[in-house]
Amino acid sequence: MPAICEVGSWGFGVTSEGLKGLKGKLGLGIGAGNVVRFEARGKRNVGQVLALERGGMRQHVNGKGDGSQGENLHQISTVGNSTNIKWHCCSVGKLDREGLLNQKGCVIWITGLSGSGKSTLACALSRELHSRGKLTYVLDGDNVRHGLNSDLTFKPEDRAENIRRIGEVAKLFSDAGIICIASLISPYRKDRAACRALLPEGDFIEVFLDVPIHVCEQRDPKGLYKLARAGKIRGFTGIDDAYEPPVSCEIVLKEEGREATPPRELAEQVISYLYEKGYLHAQ
């Protein structure tokens, strides 16, 4: 009889024979009531729970199939600076939410220099997907600094924290079944890679707006390059701080002339990718 693993909001079937094989690798243990659990090993080190399915009736640990409260068997964990915490599973998971929305949750991460058109593309993409009946949300780098990240500066350590927080929020939107569009410079590969690592394989779609700095500087919609050249802004990406372009991203949108490609055309290129990969319908 297969066991159903419920980790956060996703699951997979494992035969009893396969379960024995996984026991040593994942730290599996069979507890009372045929509840199978394991302690996730690695940097996250979050205790998770497997529930055994019998006769088509799934037994939930923290919430039973009928919505009533079940016994919480999660082990207490330490994650970062948070101690004595547990991961609480819910009977409604990502696949349920995706089925309701008829789409697959994912993160479209738009990166590029200031003035490359990231925010414009994000809004155009959101509009085009909305017109197709798809639910999206845009996390714009500037917008997020008006609230959640208003306590952060533009020092290197704060810029890294800014990206980390946006990555975590984007992960939540994706888990909700929403197509989350994150638009921010995110100049360093390691920070973008850390955000990618938060999501299941394939659910982080990196879009590189490849626009040369001299074109971005000619556009200079916010007047920031002028201020950076005058020494009034320090650590400005592309001037006195590095931008590390992606080496293996999913989509590259390359522009070389001062006249920008219409945002709708760029958005359609991203939408074509989403169709091809099956993100615009539920599994």
Side-chain angles (χ1 to χ4, degrees):
M1 183 176 298
I4 302 299
C5 173
E6 297 208 332
V7 181
S9 61
W10 53 270
F12 60 86
V14 184
T15 64
S16 57
E17 291 79 8
L19 197 58
K20 294 177 182 177
L22 289 171
K23 184 174 181 181
K25 295 181 180 179
L26 298 179
L28 292 167
I30 300 177
N34 289 322
V35 174
V36 185
R37 66 172 179 261
F38 74 96
E39 179 72 17
R41 293 172 181 169
K43 61 182 180 180
R44 295 188 194 176
N45 194 31
V46 180
Q48 301 289 13
V49 171
L50 296 134
L52 187 67
E53 186 180 70
R54 284 182 173 175
M57 190 69 162
R58 182 171 297 177
Q59 298 179 9
H60 297 277
V61 176
N62 288 319
K64 296 179 181 178
D66 61 0
S68 61
Q69 185 65 28
E71 181 185 0
N72 189 343
L73 297 179
H74 292 287
Q75 296 180 8
I76 292 176
S77 302
T78 296
V79 181
N81 293 326
S82 298
T83 59
N84 302 321
I85 59 173
K86 298 179 181 180
W87 183 275
H88 293 271
C89 292
C90 180
S91 58
V92 177
K94 183 179 182 182
L95 291 178
D96 301 304
R97 294 184 284 271
E98 290 177 337
L100 191 66
L101 297 170
N102 192 31
Q103 63 186 48
K104 289 179 64 179
C106 63
V107 174
I108 301 171
W109 192 278
I110 304 174
T111 178
L113 292 168
S114 178
S116 59
K118 299 181 299 300
S119 297
T120 302
L121 171 59
C123 291
L125 180 57
S126 181
R127 169 53 58 187
E128 293 303 313
L129 288 171
H130 180 82
S131 70
R132 290 166 167 81
K134 303 305 174 185
L135 184 60
T136 67
Y137 195 85
V138 175
L139 292 175
D140 182 84
D142 279 3
N143 290 357
V144 175
R145 282 182 175 271
H146 280 76
L148 176 65
N149 293 346
S150 61
D151 60 318
L152 300 177
T153 69
F154 285 91
K155 294 179 181 179
E157 60 272 20
D158 279 2
R159 295 187 76 173
E161 175 63 11
N162 178 61
I163 294 167
R164 188 196 70 81
R165 291 184 192 178
I166 291 176
E168 290 285 355
V169 173
K171 180 183 72 171
L172 295 177
F173 274 110
S174 175
D175 188 60
I178 295 170
I179 298 172
C180 181
I181 306 167
S183 166
L184 61 164
I185 296 172
S186 47
Y188 306 126
R189 295 187 187 110
K190 63 179 179 63
D191 293 332
R192 299 193 301 266
C195 293
R196 179 186 291 272
L198 294 172
L199 294 154
E201 184 176 356
D203 285 1
F204 185 92
I205 302 164
E206 190 172 13
V207 178
F208 175 35
L209 265 178
D210 187 4
V211 182
I213 188 169
H214 71 272
V215 175
C216 295
E217 196 164 357
Q218 287 171 353
R219 296 175 181 175
D220 202 10
K222 302 176 185 176
L224 298 179
Y225 284 99
K226 185 177 181 180
L227 293 173
R229 292 292 187 190
K232 296 181 180 179
I233 297 179
R234 299 291 184 183
F236 190 78
T237 302
I239 302 298
D240 56 352
D241 195 16
Y243 177 79
E244 299 174 351
V247 292
S248 58
C249 59
E250 283 71 21
I251 302 172
V252 178
L253 302 175
K254 190 175 183 63
E255 294 191 272
E256 296 181 352
R258 183 170 183 176
E259 292 298 323
T261 303
R264 186 173 181 179
E265 291 185 20
L266 296 176
E268 289 296 340
Q269 294 183 51
V270 179
I271 290 172
S272 294
Y273 178 92
L274 295 177
Y275 268 121
E276 178 186 344
K277 299 299 182 181
Y279 281 97
L280 300 186
H281 58 78
Q283 289 184 343

